[in-house]
Amino acid sequence: TFLSVSRSLGDAWAKSGGSANPLKAGDTIVSCVPDIFIRQVAEDDQFLILACDGIWDVLSDKDACEVVRNELQGMVSLEKPERAQGDESGRGSSEVIRVAAAEAAAKALVKHAFRKGSVDNLTVVVVLLNKI
């Protein structure tokens, strides 16, 4: 909770390592530089979870994937969406179902993290890849 409060009151103590003597540039505890990973999507990749730290504070990658898989199970055909019959947005029926399934999976992750005791911001987007 110190980090959350520090954002509203100022976080000079965190940027100095908590001492009166500031650390060298790049040695700070708090950083605005995001972790970025570049990865080729593999044939067996099913979905992508984009979530803030409130989710990852209480869930491991494995746990989050399990929650998403359980929510998606039986909801979607994990093949590439077809564009046959559409709705008013022009999306095919299976694409509409996939969007709803991804939204349901994101909501399930938020609820699960809350039940696990997360007290931080809980924001999630689940992106379904061509095959799940």
Side-chain angles (χ1 to χ4, degrees):
T1 54
F2 285 123
L3 183 57
S4 299
V5 174
S6 73
R7 290 179 181 156
S8 64
L9 301 176
D11 58 4
W13 65 272
K15 290 183 178 169
S16 66
S19 68
N21 300 321
L23 300 172
K24 297 180 290 186
D27 288 344
T28 60
I29 296 171
V30 178
S31 172
C32 63
V33 179
D35 291 330
I36 298 174
F37 301 95
I38 299 173
R39 181 180 188 276
Q40 292 288 345
V41 176
E43 187 70 27
D44 61 341
D45 288 336
Q46 300 173 340
F47 49 82
L48 173 67
I49 301 171
L50 303 169
C52 65
D53 59 337
I55 299 294
W56 307 121
D57 288 345
V58 296
L59 294 175
S60 68
D61 295 353
K62 183 179 178 181
D63 291 339
C65 288
E66 186 176 315
V67 169
V68 170
R69 276 193 197 98
N70 288 342
E71 189 65 30
L72 295 176
Q73 202 168 25
M75 290 184 72
V76 292
S77 163
L78 300 173
E79 299 299 316
K80 191 170 183 176
E82 54 191 62
R83 291 213 179 250
Q85 304 166 324
D87 66 359
E88 62 278 353
S89 70
R91 293 185 287 200
S93 59
S94 83
E95 187 177 357
V96 171
I97 292 168
R98 288 170 59 88
V99 169
E103 184 177 329
K107 286 179 180 179
L109 265 179
V110 168
K111 288 178 183 176
H112 192 70
F114 185 74
R115 282 193 303 269
K116 295 275 281 185
S118 181
V119 293
D120 206 341
N121 187 14
L122 297 172
T123 305
V124 181
V125 174
V126 174
V127 179
L128 301 184
L129 302 175
N130 286 340
K131 285 189 174 182
I132 299 180

